Amino acid sequence: MGFFIFLIFIPNNGVNKVKFPDLHGLSYSEDGGELVAAVHDGLKVYSDSSWSVPDIPKNDYMGYSPVKNGFYSSGHPAPSSNLKNPLGIVKSKDNGETVEIVDLQGEADFHALSVGYETEEIYVFAAEPNSKMKEQGLLHRSRRNLEFNEYARDIRLSTHDGSTPF
């Protein structure tokens, strides 16, 4: 927790005070030159010793999970957005300028979502049932199988090349 608190208090050099309501996740840009924070009102970027707010939709990116070519998230659309609320599961390949709907838009909001950085296998905790998740619990979806499966009953891990470590 100390790491998150430290990040919030990194100085802005007296310019453009950036606020961090409900920090949902952190990642580095692909080139490692920027730190990206997903918060209640969009993405914030730390670069060149200061924080900035990109001119992109201010979606509430809950369950923010970076992957090799972008990020996955859940949450709620920006107030000015035409997207259905909740977002379900979305993916962005352009740093949040646009999102593509992966699944469950208008049905589910996942606070606990994690995605394999290279495999893009999706893990979610469904707090409530929905059209694809008949009961509460931890679920898994692979890139090959688009159905969500109960993870606790079928625990399996895979590496970036698809092999299983055990």
Side-chain angles (χ1 to χ4, degrees), residues 58-89:
K58 307 296 185 239
N59 297 321
D60 181 3
Y61 289 119
M62 298 170 147
Y64 177 82
S65 191
V67 294
K68 190 172 187 173
N69 65 345
F71 68 85
Y72 283 79
S73 192
S74 189
H76 305 279
S80 61
S81 174
N82 292 326
L83 295 170
K84 289 183 185 175
N85 189 18
L87 290 173
I89 300 171

Side-chain angles (χ1 to χ4, degrees), residues 94-151:
D94 56 11
N95 302 312
E97 287 185 40
T98 62
V99 295
E100 62 185 66
I101 306 305
V102 175
D103 212 342
L104 296 164
Q105 183 186 32
E107 288 190 61
D109 169 18
F110 299 105
H111 293 231
L113 169 111
S114 187
V115 180
Y117 184 79
E118 291 193 22
T119 64
E120 295 189 29
E121 293 193 19
I122 300 171
Y123 300 85
V124 298
F125 180 79
E128 299 176 358
N130 58 58
S131 67
K132 297 196 176 175
M133 301 168 184
K134 299 304 177 199
E135 55 189 65
Q136 178 185 32
L138 183 61
L139 295 122
H140 166 262
R141 179 177 129 171
S142 72
R143 290 175 74 177
R144 293 177 296 273
N145 178 5
L146 299 182
E147 298 295 318
F148 284 93
N149 300 301
E150 289 183 66
Y151 186 68

Side-chain angles (χ1 to χ4, degrees), residues 4 10 20 24-25 37 50-51 53 57 61 68 72 78 110 118 139 141 160-161 164:
F4 292 110
I10 292 175
F20 292 79
H24 296 306
S50 67
W51 287 99
V53 180
Y61 289 119
K68 190 172 187 173
Y72 283 79
F110 299 105
E118 291 193 22
L139 295 122
R141 179 177 129 171
H160 62 83
D161 66 1
T164 54

Side-chain angles (χ1 to χ4, degrees), residues 21-35:
D22 298 327
L23 182 61
H24 296 306
L26 294 168
S27 68
Y28 281 102
S29 59
E30 192 172 336
D31 66 4
E34 298 176 334
L35 177 66

